[in-house]
Amino acid sequence: MTEKPSLLIIGNSNVGKSSITRLLLPSTKQFKGKTGKTPGSTLLINPIIQKGLPYKIVDLPGFGYMRHSSRRREEHIKKQIVIHIEKNYTQYFFGLVIINILRIEDEISKYFIQNTETIPLSFELIKFLKEFEIPILVIINKIDKVSNFDKKRIVNLFVECAREYGLNLIHIEKFQEDYGIEVPYLEFSALKKTNLGKLKQIISASLI
Ligand SMILES: Nc1nc2c(ncn2[C@@H]2O[C@H](COP(=O)(O)OP(=O)(O)O)[C@@H](O)[C@H]2O)c(=O)[nH]1
Ligand SMILES: [Mg+2]
């Protein structure tokens, strides 16, 4: 029997990884949302396997994942993520990079506007995953927390800034290529289940 392929769910702490995982599971009874927690500085990789779910879910912290952790610890975790992906990239059929819409402006301001030598960590992560040819979808989560006007403004800022780093982010509805320079994004709310049907459809389509 062949093993189930894995779905990667990756993003900083508090962006909604566990909430999104829960929405994808046929049964949420045993799921307490404890994946991706990293006690000490060891990256805990604990795939979720369920009957009726045709893939495993692996939840990993992003590249700059905690508000209260030291720079050193963050670097250490980042190294472990890199090693894990280098070793295991073939098991991943798809990756969801989760971003909190409320964090975008801060990140861009810190890493792009104030210091043009650095790269926003989300873009670094996306580029890293692209190198391994893991098809990815960027999920811009928590859109229920902003007005429609702000949503458009922030998403535009995100897309334009990504372009400065050679990343072509494109709305999922306009996305066509499987592998290319383009990376699709989906506006999402785990709270309101906005675009959940779309997300499930995209994941299923990439399983075949
Ligand atoms: N308003 C809102 N809150 C959300 C959304 N997704 C997650 N949250 C909340 O954000 C917090 C962190 O979510 P969680 O799934 O634990 O994030 P994780 O640390 O990435 O696993 C929780 O309080 C969630 O209820 C969303 O789409 N909208
Ligand atoms: Mg979590």
Side-chain angles (χ1 to χ4, degrees):
M1 213 175 94
T2 51
E3 267 200 34
K4 288 179 183 175
S6 298
L7 173 70
L8 176 66
I9 299 191
I10 189 165
N12 296 351
S13 154
N14 230 35
V15 295
K17 295 181 299 297
S18 298
S19 308
I20 291 170
T21 300
R22 199 171 286 116
L23 294 175
L24 297 174
L25 295 178
S27 158
T28 52
K29 275 181 198 139
Q30 319 106 295
F31 180 65
K32 297 189 180 68
K34 278 192 183 144
T35 57
K37 289 272 184 298
T38 51
S41 7
T42 310
L43 185 65
L44 193 74
I45 295 161
N46 187 16
I48 299 166
I49 302 163
Q50 275 195 2
K51 250 191 245 167
L53 184 70
Y55 49 84
K56 302 181 201 175
I57 298 181
V58 175
D59 170 338
L60 292 182
F63 273 5
Y65 74 108
M66 278 179 117
R67 240 169 298 174
H68 304 291
S69 67
S70 70
R71 186 96 195 97
R72 235 183 99 95
R73 180 163 179 252
E74 226 161 74
E75 281 300 321
H76 185 70
I77 295 283
K78 182 171 163 179
K79 241 180 233 162
Q80 292 179 71
I81 295 168
V82 169
I83 291 167
H84 172 78
I85 299 293
E86 283 172 349
K87 266 196 195 159
N88 300 284
Y89 69 95
T90 56
Q91 79 179 47
Y92 290 110
F93 72 98
F94 205 65
L96 306 177
V97 174
I98 319 292
I99 287 169
N100 175 355
I101 193 162
L102 295 174
R103 302 289 312 148
I104 289 177
E105 285 174 290
D106 265 7
E107 189 182 331
I108 288 178
S109 156
K110 187 170 163 199
Y111 292 99
F112 175 62
I113 296 164
Q114 289 168 30
N115 185 351
T116 53
E117 302 295 306
T118 54
I119 173 166
L121 295 171
S122 308
F123 299 148
E124 191 183 358
L125 178 62
I126 294 166
K127 291 189 103 166
F128 172 72
L129 295 174
K130 287 286 288 175
E131 277 177 38
F132 292 91
E133 297 191 339
I134 300 172
I136 63 170
L137 173 69
V138 176
I139 294 190
I140 302 176
N141 193 31
K142 306 202 186 185
I143 57 162
D144 59 280
K145 288 201 164 191
V146 296
S147 67
N148 217 19
F149 179 83
D150 280 336
K151 183 187 80 183
K152 281 186 187 140
R153 187 176 57 76
I154 297 168
V155 171
N156 273 339
L157 173 74
F158 189 62
V159 169
E160 302 217 328
C161 184
R163 202 170 292 135
E164 300 286 326
Y165 293 95
L167 261 179
N168 199 0
L169 291 176
I170 192 147
H171 195 283
I172 186 72
E173 302 294 350
K174 293 179 193 147
F175 177 73
Q176 293 185 345
E177 291 170 65
D178 283 328
Y179 295 100
I181 49 162
E182 291 177 348
V183 177
Y185 69 83
L186 180 70
E187 294 157 358
F188 198 83
S189 165
L191 182 77
K192 296 272 162 79
K193 302 187 183 176
T194 311
N195 284 330
L196 177 60
K198 187 86 212 164
L199 175 61
K200 287 183 172 173
Q201 185 192 321
I202 294 163
I203 295 170
S204 304
S206 57
L207 251 178
I208 344 164

